[in-house]
Amino acid sequence: MSKWLDNAVFYEIYPQSFKDTNSDGIGDIQGIIEKLDYVRELGCNAIWLNPCFASPFYDAGYDVEDYFNVAPRYGTNEALKELFEKAHEKNMHVILDLVPGHTSVKHPWFKESMKPTENEYTNRYVWTDDIWTDFKDVQGVFGSIRGMSDRNGCCAVNFLSMQPALNYGFANPQESWQFSTSSKEAIATREAMKEVMSFWLSMGCDGFRVDMAGSLVKNDDDSKETIKLWQNFRNFLDEKFPEAVLISEWGEPEKSLEGGFHMDFLLHFGTSNYMDLFRSENPYFSREGKGDISKFANKYMENYKLTNGKGLMCIPSGNHDMPRIAHKLDDEELKIAFAFLLTMPGAPFIYYGDEIGMKYLENITSVEGGYARTGSRTPMQWDNTVNAGFSTAKKEDLYIMQDPDEDRPTVKRQMETENSLYKEVKRLTNLRVENEPLCSNAGIEFLYAEEKTYPFIYKRTGKEGSILVVLNPSKKGASCEVNENLSCEVIYSNNGEAVIDKSIITAPACSASIFKIMK
Ligand code: NOJ
């Protein structure tokens, strides 16, 4: 596995909203280059960049029109190459967003595929053989594109209606229009995607976050064929680009890691109980103290046992698809949430702006297929200059409106304020990289993660010893007994320090404490 993942702390950048350097109201690659030092100084040494390829942007770029070219609004391929180079100079890594499951309807492959006459791309997508034959309950198909062309057939939709599904075959082909995964048509799609990977990896990118990685083979109930397909991709990468990292948006680590992914996200969908942490009705990390960590912890351990040694699970602070972490939690609660995120196994992901507690803007008009997600995609708040330092364009020309609150958090203010969320996040990223037992692949054991109660205690063990993490997000002090007698030395605390008396641990209200275990 690529060594750099052990110490990676990722920062997710939604390029539209990070930093605009040419005053057109939308972020660009030069803006990211300008802010590399900011990201590095926060303690993040890796970047996940959301799709930045040519696109009609009906789904914010997840509808790719040209896999080989940067969208002009963000810059050029040369600019992206410069980003890779500058990042590497600073000892940072950059992964791109690979969207292998579907393209835009404007992609030249789809234009060819829509033609009634047979050509090289006729079967590049999943089509039925008659305009009146729909997909009914084909698993992994979300509707169909019909009547857009003279081709007599329906094309499968992979997500939104203008995202036709690429053809990687069916697990058990039943109809004449369903190709097997070993058909030359399915293989042609797979090989075309390898060319996309090779192109960017050769240019200097360090790997991919893979969009809807589990969606490729249709009617693949147990995901066996999709897993095989990813093993094939992984073998290809191991041979040609052994350092390339693959991280899946799949949410089922026992499957994705089997497929050769290095890490899989725990997400707002799927079975991980991720939502219980920061976003459910009663999030565990709220000071109300009504949360329940046990379901998350049990599921995590179940997956951990299944996947340990094969790869990692990673937990994001949020992403461009869900309400921001600050939607339900204030800065003091967020500090404890970050103490958790930055001490768990797997590389942590900080969604841009979460480190200053940027708000989720409710009920704003959808932009580029964002719908309710738009409120998590607003422009970064850097300082108190015009448009919070994001852009010098006219306010009404910004890609998405900014948080109108006069008191909105900014990077500048938080850098100048003692005890700000930004400073706490920075303290924690430093702590993580300085302590080997906190790195991505060191072990974890939950010592106390009980139903509807606090605190939450776990032990991380690496080659250089063990570290104890004691989190009590609740507004009431909490005490518990663990299964071992501990002798510890504190290395971090926020808002009071937990007291350890052999096996009895007492944590002050709203606190996070981290200890080196001495024996
Ligand atoms: C998941 C991406 O994160 C989301 O933003 C996108 O809309 C869908 N996949 C479709 O590509």
Side-chain angles (χ1 to χ4, degrees):
M1 119 123 88
S2 313
K3 232 11 224 156
W4 64 268
L5 267 191
D6 291 357
N7 277 315
V9 179
F10 279 87
Y11 192 80
E12 179 190 342
I13 295 182
Y14 188 73
Q16 289 90 322
S17 295
F18 198 54
K19 174 74 187 164
D20 169 22
T21 56
N22 63 351
S23 307
D24 60 358
I26 190 161
D28 45 52
I29 291 171
Q30 276 313 325
I32 301 172
I33 293 174
E34 261 182 32
K35 293 294 183 185
L36 274 179
D37 283 336
Y38 167 76
V39 177
R40 191 73 189 90
E41 213 186 292
L42 177 66
C44 295
N45 50 18
I47 288 173
W48 157 27
L49 194 58
N50 288 111
C52 55
F53 315 108
S55 164
F57 293 101
Y58 291 122
D59 184 14
Y62 282 95
D63 45 336
V64 178
E65 182 177 339
D66 178 352
Y67 283 106
F68 299 100
N69 274 298
V70 165
R73 71 191 202 177
Y74 300 132
T76 58
N77 284 12
E78 286 65 42
L80 189 54
K81 187 166 184 233
E82 187 187 337
L83 171 63
F84 299 148
E85 286 164 1
K86 294 260 164 67
H88 292 160
E89 278 165 23
K90 295 175 198 295
N91 227 343
M92 299 170 81
H93 293 89
V94 182
I95 63 168
L96 296 177
D97 213 316
L98 182 75
V99 190
H102 48 266
T103 66
S104 150
V105 285
K106 303 229 162 121
H107 194 290
W109 295 343
F110 192 64
K111 289 186 184 157
E112 286 300 306
S113 197
M114 281 196 297
K115 290 185 178 161
T117 46
E118 181 121 6
N119 62 61
E120 194 186 337
Y121 301 99
T122 298
N123 297 311
R124 178 54 52 94
Y125 296 82
V126 178
W127 287 88
T128 65
D129 59 1
D130 191 285
I131 186 87
W132 309 119
T133 305
D134 213 334
F135 293 93
K136 295 194 198 82
D137 40 14
V138 173
Q139 190 254 340
V141 174
F142 291 90
S144 67
I145 300 172
R146 307 157 67 215
M148 247 183 94
S149 72
D150 286 329
R151 174 170 178 166
N152 186 22
C154 299
C155 184
V157 160
N158 217 37
F159 191 66
L160 302 180
S161 318
M162 64 304 150
Q163 288 164 323
L166 284 162
N167 178 21
Y168 294 90
F170 280 69
N172 277 305
Q174 302 290 326
E175 309 286 343
S176 56
W177 48 266
Q178 301 182 351
F179 291 85
S180 81
T181 51
S182 56
S183 61
K184 71 174 190 329
E185 290 78 2
I187 289 173
T189 311
R190 184 188 79 195
E191 296 306 304
M193 210 41 67
K194 287 181 188 169
E195 280 174 31
V196 176
M197 294 183 187
S198 297
F199 181 81
W200 295 109
L201 290 167
S202 306
M203 196 181 279
C205 117
D206 297 294
F208 303 97
R209 172 269 189 188
V210 178
D211 188 69
M212 295 177 69
S215 76
L216 304 193
V217 177
K218 303 306 175 204
N219 268 348
D220 190 17
D221 291 335
D222 53 10
S223 306
K224 286 231 166 65
E225 289 298 320
T226 310
I227 291 171
K228 267 200 232 156
L229 174 62
W230 280 109
Q231 286 170 341
N232 181 287
F233 280 126
R234 183 72 252 171
N235 289 340
F236 157 77
L237 290 176
D238 281 346
E239 206 175 292
K240 296 264 172 13
F241 302 94
E243 286 298 302
V245 157
L246 280 184
I247 304 174
S248 48
E249 186 203 31
W250 193 321
E252 291 178 278
E254 77 281 12
K255 293 180 176 173
S256 51
L257 302 186
E258 185 70 37
F261 282 93
H262 297 106
M263 292 204 294
D264 190 22
F265 282 108
L266 302 188
L267 289 162
H268 51 299
F269 58 84
T271 56
S272 68
N273 285 86
Y274 169 78
M275 294 300 271
D276 295 0
L277 301 169
F278 322 117
R279 291 176 178 80
S280 64
E281 208 185 322
N282 290 307
Y284 190 75
F285 284 89
S286 154
R287 76 167 58 73
E288 285 314 308
K290 294 185 188 147
D292 184 358
I293 198 72
S294 63
K295 293 196 187 76
F296 170 83
N298 292 340
K299 188 70 200 176
Y300 188 93
M301 254 320 136
E302 194 185 309
N303 276 326
Y304 183 73
K305 286 186 185 133
L306 288 171
T307 57
N308 197 13
K310 290 190 192 145
L312 300 162
M313 293 179 268
C314 49
I315 314 181
S317 68
N319 68 24
H320 58 291
D321 290 333
M322 58 178 119
R324 277 194 181 268
I325 191 169
H327 188 40
K328 293 222 164 158
L329 306 178
D330 65 28
D331 280 12
E332 294 313 308
E333 293 168 317
L334 287 175
K335 288 177 186 173
I336 304 169
F338 273 105
F340 162 74
L341 285 164
L342 292 165
T343 55
M344 284 293 284
F349 278 71
I350 300 176
Y351 182 51
Y352 83 96
D354 280 353
E355 73 279 21
I356 55 166
M358 266 175 64
K359 294 281 175 297
Y360 170 69
L361 291 201
E362 274 176 284
N363 303 321
I364 60 173
T365 309
S366 175
V367 175
E368 294 187 343
Y371 304 98
R373 306 176 294 183
T374 309
S376 294
R377 301 175 175 187
T378 61
M380 182 67 175
Q381 295 152 202
W382 295 103
D383 55 34
N384 55 4
T385 61
V386 65
N387 300 319
F390 162 68
S391 164
T392 52
K394 281 195 264 158
K395 188 174 170 184
E396 53 283 13
D397 290 344
L398 296 192
Y399 170 72
I400 295 176
M401 69 176 280
Q402 252 174 338
D403 183 352
D405 186 350
E406 278 180 12
D407 249 3
R408 62 189 173 199
T410 65
V411 167
K412 181 160 187 290
R413 186 151 18 102
Q414 294 215 4
M415 279 183 164
E416 291 164 357
T417 309
E418 272 318 298
N419 299 324
S420 65
L421 176 60
Y422 165 85
K423 288 208 169 152
E424 207 58 44
V425 172
K426 192 170 160 177
R427 196 149 79 95
L428 285 158
T429 53
N430 284 332
L431 188 84
R432 183 177 175 99
V433 292
E434 282 160 11
N435 288 280
E436 184 274 339
L438 292 179
C439 74
S440 297
N441 60 6
I444 184 161
E445 191 186 334
F446 293 132
L447 300 192
Y448 193 81
E450 297 301 311
E451 207 178 322
K452 293 195 174 145
T453 188
Y454 292 72
F456 176 29
I457 303 179
Y458 48 93
K459 180 159 99 171
R460 300 287 319 274
T461 301
K463 294 188 198 86
E464 295 175 14
S466 292
I467 280 181
L468 186 77
V469 181
V470 181
L471 306 172
N472 180 22
S474 150
K475 64 185 170 200
K476 290 191 199 128
S479 201
C480 68
E481 178 158 19
V482 297
N483 265 337
E484 51 188 292
N485 286 333
L486 295 158
S487 155
C488 296
E489 204 171 81
V490 74
I491 53 171
Y492 168 96
S493 70
N494 167 41
N495 211 21
E497 200 177 293
V499 175
I500 301 175
D501 182 7
K502 296 191 184 111
S503 62
I504 309 285
I505 302 182
T506 307
C510 306
S511 69
S513 315
I514 303 176
F515 302 86
K516 219 169 231 165
I517 300 180
M518 303 314 285
K519 63 167 187 66

